[in-house]
Amino acid sequence: MTRVWKWNRPVTVREVLEDLQQERSIAYTTVMTVMDNLYQKGWVRREAEGRAYRYAAVSTRAAYAAALMNEAWQRSDNQAAALVAFFGMMSPEQRDALGDAMRVIQLPAEEPREVPAPPEGAEGAEESEGAEEAGEAAEAGEEQGSPEPAQDSGAPPAPGAAAELPESEGGAAEAGGGR
């Protein structure tokens, strides 16, 4: 799948073979089998071209990644905690990308809640000020322009299908899902 996604156009088994052979020795029949397996599982569609087929991805790499994340999240017994842990693992660049994505999909903002100010000198006064600053930062971020959404050419794979994709770094699986 890596090769099919990389080229973003219908490819033949021969093209994938020649690309893989730059890295290692692999047989035509191995690549043909993996491409056929991907077709049988619904990851690619194919069109006959003479005696060969041209294979094209059914969905984007982004849709595949989103389906994997959603599948993992759905399996969690505490989805909120899973999200907190996931966001905690993000690099600053990933958090920026998340912010950009949130602006692209334009989720409706939750109405601000009235929080009574704690009495002066009470614990938590600093937290209130921090929340106020975070709200101002969020409002400032909304004023910035948002990037164009990525074009998604297909629906994400069916749940459970992702686990069946070949992902090993060696062997026949690389033709379809190598990294």
Side-chain angles (χ1 to χ4, degrees), residues 27-153:
Y28 180 92
T29 55
T30 301
V31 178
M32 185 173 61
T33 299
V34 171
M35 296 300 285
D36 186 62
N37 288 342
L38 291 170
Y39 171 74
Q40 297 298 327
K41 291 178 181 184
W43 285 93
V44 295
R45 63 179 154 266
R46 67 184 180 192
E47 268 187 43
E49 183 177 279
R51 292 178 39 198
Y53 286 110
R54 283 207 171 266
Y55 295 87
V58 169
S59 72
T60 64
R61 183 176 221 144
Y64 169 71
L68 287 177
M69 289 188 290
N70 188 52
E71 184 178 331
W73 183 54
Q74 292 296 325
R75 290 181 179 174
S76 173
D77 60 345
N78 186 340
Q79 293 180 345
L83 285 173
V84 168
F86 178 68
F87 295 151
M89 290 184 238
M90 290 180 155
S91 68
E93 294 80 17
Q94 289 170 321
R95 283 192 291 275
D96 288 345
L98 175 63
D100 292 343
M102 295 298 287
R103 283 189 291 279
V104 167
I105 61 172
Q106 299 176 358
L107 289 178
E110 193 175 302
E111 291 296 319
R113 296 181 218 165
E114 298 269 339
V115 178
E120 281 194 36
E123 287 185 43
E126 297 83 24
E127 292 174 15
S128 177
E129 290 172 13
E132 222 173 85
E133 291 171 7
E136 291 170 7
E139 287 175 13
E142 290 173 5
E143 295 171 6
Q144 298 172 354
S146 63
E148 290 297 316
Q151 297 282 330
D152 189 348
S153 63

Side-chain angles (χ1 to χ4, degrees), residues 11-41:
V11 298
T12 64
V13 170
R14 176 74 53 200
E15 290 172 319
V16 175
L17 173 73
E18 289 171 359
D19 191 50
L20 288 171
Q21 285 179 333
Q22 292 176 9
E23 298 170 15
R24 65 186 178 92
S25 177
I26 188 169
Y28 180 92
T29 55
T30 301
V31 178
M32 185 173 61
T33 299
V34 171
M35 296 300 285
D36 186 62
N37 288 342
L38 291 170
Y39 171 74
Q40 297 298 327
K41 291 178 181 184

